[in-house]
Amino acid sequence: MSILKIARMGHPVLWAKATPVADPAAPEIQRLIADMIETMADAQGVGLAAPQIHVSLRIFVFRVPESRTGADPATAPTPVSVLINPEVTPLGEEMQRSWEGCLSLPGLRAEISRHARLRYRGLTERGESVECEAAGFHAVVIQHENDHLDGILYPMRITDFTRFGFTENLAALGVQL
Ligand code: NI
């Protein structure tokens, strides 16, 4: 396994619409997924999409840490998970605002509005179908990573630019990150 270089905002791979994976079992896909998991752990991230490591394929890895969960089962902690060719469907009209960061924009955070609840489906690293309902932080990370597969970075979703800045300044303002 290898730790891969993470593309930063401005690199064209981050603006491209990624291609579906034809064969999740292919050895190069299996190696890619193992490297993505290792790279995310090394960067202490909660999500990483393949375009962020310069591969324009529809794959992301994510986790929901214990600290970002609630009583709702749709917000339960999730170990490191892989989603291939995901499809995300919002449930209901409710939106939630939360602070997001991204490994492609180190040191920055912005407050972003996302769907509060959604259903997603896709394939696991073993090629098995998975379907799940997510809310809270789990729903945020799914929408953030899925955006990467469509060439969207979170600054493109900012509505209030006074809620965008460097982490150290936001912490000084008492913003919970
Ligand atoms: Ni990101």
Side-chain angles (χ1 to χ4, degrees), residues 128-141:
E128 295 160 348
S129 293
V130 61
E131 184 169 347
C132 190
E133 194 169 316
F137 179 76
H138 190 170
V140 171
V141 73

Side-chain angles (χ1 to χ4, degrees), residues 45-47 52 68 98-112 114 137 140-141 144-145 148 153-155 164-165 167 177:
V46 288
Q52 291 183 278
R68 311 298 295 268
S98 66
W99 288 87
E100 295 185 23
C102 181
L103 295 173
S104 295
L105 292 79
L108 291 163
R109 295 283 189 283
E111 194 182 53
I112 305 293
R114 302 278 188 185
F137 179 76
V140 171
V141 73
H144 178 115
E145 299 312 325
H148 276 298
L153 298 182
Y154 77 71
F164 181 38
T167 312
L177 297 172

Side-chain angles (χ1 to χ4, degrees), residues 77-139:
T78 307
V80 173
S81 302
V82 178
L83 207 55
I84 300 170
N85 300 341
E87 286 172 46
V88 177
T89 310
L91 297 175
E93 301 294 310
E94 193 191 337
M95 304 297 283
Q96 59 180 340
R97 296 188 71 84
S98 66
W99 288 87
E100 295 185 23
C102 181
L103 295 173
S104 295
L105 292 79
L108 291 163
R109 295 283 189 283
E111 194 182 53
I112 305 293
S113 178
R114 302 278 188 185
H115 294 284
R117 183 172 285 270
L118 55 82
R119 178 175 293 119
Y120 64 90
R121 64 183 73 186
L123 299 173
T124 69
E125 68 278 22
R126 290 177 299 281
E128 295 160 348
S129 293
V130 61
E131 184 169 347
C132 190
E133 194 169 316
F137 179 76
H138 190 170

Side-chain angles (χ1 to χ4, degrees), residues 1-6 27-43 48-50 52-53 55 59 61 80 82 103 125:
M1 295 204 294
S2 320
I3 293 167
L4 305 171
K5 188 178 176 195
I6 297 175
E28 64 272 21
I29 298 296
Q30 292 294 308
R31 198 174 319 119
L32 175 72
I33 289 168
D35 288 347
M36 286 174 67
I37 291 170
E38 193 178 7
T39 302
M40 180 173 77
D42 176 69
L48 183 72
Q52 291 183 278
I53 43 92
V55 176
I59 306 175
V61 298
V80 173
V82 178
L103 295 173
E125 68 278 22

